[in-house]
Amino acid sequence: MKLWGGRFTKETNQLVHNFNESLSFDNKFYKEDIQGSRAHVKMLSKCGILTEEERDSILEGLDSIEADITSGNLDFDPQYEDIHSFVEGVLTERIGEAGKKLHTGRSRNDQVALDMKLYTRNEIAETEELLKELLKTIFGIMEVHTGTIMPGFTHLQKAQPISLSHHMGAYFEMFKRDLSRLKDCRERLNLCPLGSGALAGTTYPLDRSMTAELLGFYGPTLNSMDSVSDRDYLIEYLSALSLIMMHLSRFNEEIITWNTNEYRFVEIDDSYSTGSSIMPQKKNPDIAELIRGKTGRVYGHLISLLTTMKGLPLAYNKDMQEDKEPVFDAVDTVKGCLALFDGMLKTMKFNTDNMRLSAEGGFTNATDAADYLVKKGVPFRDAHGIIGALVLKCIERGESLDKLPLDEYKKISEVFDEDIYEAISMETCVSKRNTIGAPGVEAMKEVIEIYRSFISEIDNS
Ligand code: ARG
C-alpha cells in the first residue's frame, strides 16, 4: 500500500520496507497530521482547486479517521510506510475518489515538516506547564525558609552560611531561564512550512497565508528549500531539554547527598523512595538517581540529531526521518522527570536543625570574623592570617569559632572584643548580606516579591 508504486516493476523487498518505514513511530502525531490536512483541504477549496463537496467529504472522512484511531477502532496498518500514507490510504478507502485529491499541491516533505512543528509546538507548551508547576513548588519553599540557615558550599567544602530559601532561589533562576528558552524556541519555530511542496513550492495557486493562519502560525516560511529541510527548532528544543535535565541532575545530586545518613538535611518521602532486596534498613533515593541518570540519554538525543543533520545537502533527505525517535524519547523523558521531581520535592522533609548545626560546625563564619577585624582597622590580608590561625587553634581544641573563649582570641590579637560573638553569629553572617542577590533576609524578601510577580505573569500567559 504505497503512494508511489507507478514507476516500479517489482514489489519492495520486505526488509527494505521494514527498514524504510516510520509508521511504527510517526503514528505518534496522527492528530497533527490530520489537523494539517484539514487546513490544507480548506485552503484548496477556497482557492478553487477542490469543490466544496470534495472538501466536505474529505473533512468528514478525516474526522472519522481521527475518532476511530483515538477510540482504538482503527489500528495502524504496518503495510503503510508512514502516517501520511496511512491517513490518505484509509481516507480513500472510506470516501473514494475525493480522498485521492487530498495530496494535491502537497508533498510528504512539507507535510512532515508541518507535522513535526505542530507536534513540537504542543510539546513545548506542555513542557512549559510542567516547568511552571516546578517553579511554584520551589517558590513555596523559598517563601517559608528565608530564616533557615544552612551551609553554602564551594568545592563541596562548607564555605559561608546561606539560607535554604537562597539555595532554592538558585534553582528558581535556572528553571526560569529554561522557561524563557522554551518560549524563544516556540516563537521562532512558529512559521508554517505547508505549501513548500517537495522542495520548490508548487504550480497551484495555493494561499499559504491562509493555511498558516488556520494552523496558528504567524505566517508562511519564506524559502521552500529551507522549509522542508529545517530541523533547527528540534535541535533548539533538544538543547533546551538538555539544559533542563542538567539542572534537574544537579538538583538531584544535591538531594541525594542531603538525603545521606551523613548529612540528613532532607528526608525523601517514603512514597518517592525504594528499598533493597537484601538490606532491610535501606531506603534508597532511586528516583533522584534515575533522573540524574536519564540526563545522559537526553544529551545523547541532542548529539544524535546534530550529527544526523551535519552533512545533509539541500533539501529533504531521508536521513531526516531519524529526527523523530530521539525527539519523542527526549520529550517523554523530560516530561516524566519534571512531573516526578515536582512530586518528590513537594513531599520532601527539610531537617532544618541539622542544616543549622552543619553551618555552625564548619567555620562558615570565618570570612565574617576576618571582616570584623577589617572594620576595626586591620588590613584584610592580615585579618585573613589571624583568623586562619584561630581556625587552626579551634580544630586542635575541637571547638567552633563562636565557642572559643575571648582570652584565646586576645592571645592572637588585642583587637578582639566581646562583640566578636555577635559579629560571627549565623544570623549576623546571613542577615548582613543584603545586596540584591545575596542571602540576607531583606534581600531575599525583595527577590521573592519579584518572583511572585513573575509567577502571576506566567500564570496569565
Ligand atoms: N517518513 C518521512 C520522514 O519522516 C516522511 C517524508 C518522506 N518523504 C520522502 N520524500 N521520502 O521524514
Side-chain angles (χ1 to χ4, degrees), residues 22 26 81-82 84 108-109 112 316 318 320-321 324:
S22 55
D26 65 16
E81 184 182 329
D82 51 32
H84 324 296
R108 279 181 301 162
N109 296 353
V112 77
Y316 179 83
K318 187 77 171 200
M320 288 175 190
Q321 180 166 291
K324 301 195 179 49

Side-chain angles (χ1 to χ4, degrees), residues 293-312:
K294 283 178 191 287
T295 305
R297 173 171 172 156
V298 176
Y299 288 4
H301 294 321
L302 169 64
I303 297 301
S304 144
L305 189 54
L306 277 168
T307 312
T308 298
M309 295 302 295
K310 74 177 267 292
L312 297 190

Side-chain angles (χ1 to χ4, degrees), residues 224-343:
S224 57
M225 291 181 80
D226 177 56
S227 306
V228 293
S229 60
D230 167 30
R231 298 293 182 272
D232 289 7
Y233 62 97
L234 295 177
I235 294 173
E236 282 186 39
Y237 186 29
L238 284 173
S239 143
L241 292 176
S242 296
L243 281 166
I244 293 173
M245 287 308 291
M246 188 258 274
H247 296 148
L248 281 176
S249 186
R250 294 182 70 177
F251 208 159
N252 279 283
E253 165 63 18
E254 295 209 299
I255 289 173
I256 291 162
T257 313
W258 292 354
N259 190 60
T260 56
N261 290 332
E262 287 69 24
Y263 276 73
R264 291 184 195 276
F265 283 7
V266 297
E267 181 162 355
I268 300 174
D269 195 67
D270 276 6
S271 59
Y272 283 86
S273 306
T274 48
S276 156
S277 59
I278 173 170
M279 298 165 282
Q281 85 284 11
K282 291 289 287 272
K283 184 175 141 184
N284 294 328
D286 283 26
I287 301 310
E289 289 169 9
L290 261 178
I291 295 174
R292 190 177 58 184
K294 283 178 191 287
T295 305
R297 173 171 172 156
V298 176
Y299 288 4
H301 294 321
L302 169 64
I303 297 301
S304 144
L305 189 54
L306 277 168
T307 312
T308 298
M309 295 302 295
K310 74 177 267 292
L312 297 190
L314 289 177
Y316 179 83
N317 298 270
K318 187 77 171 200
D319 314 45
M320 288 175 190
Q321 180 166 291
E322 286 295 305
D323 62 356
K324 301 195 179 49
E325 288 157 294
V327 171
F328 295 161
D329 186 70
V331 170
D332 293 343
T333 303
V334 175
K335 279 166 58 186
C337 288
L338 280 170
L340 265 170
F341 182 68
D342 184 58

Side-chain angles (χ1 to χ4, degrees), residues 69-120:
I69 297 175
T70 306
S71 64
N73 288 329
L74 176 60
D75 294 333
F76 297 109
D77 180 346
Q79 290 186 64
Y80 286 100
E81 184 182 329
D82 51 32
I83 187 64
H84 324 296
S85 349
F86 174 76
V87 172
E88 188 180 322
V90 178
L91 183 72
T92 306
E93 254 169 49
R94 289 190 178 187
I95 67 164
E97 283 304 298
K100 296 188 194 163
K101 297 193 175 179
L102 167 67
H103 210 51
T104 315
R106 188 173 71 173
S107 156
R108 279 181 301 162
N109 296 353
D110 58 345
Q111 190 178 359
V112 77
L114 171 69
D115 293 2
M116 244 352 231
K117 274 198 168 179
L118 291 173
Y119 160 84
T120 305

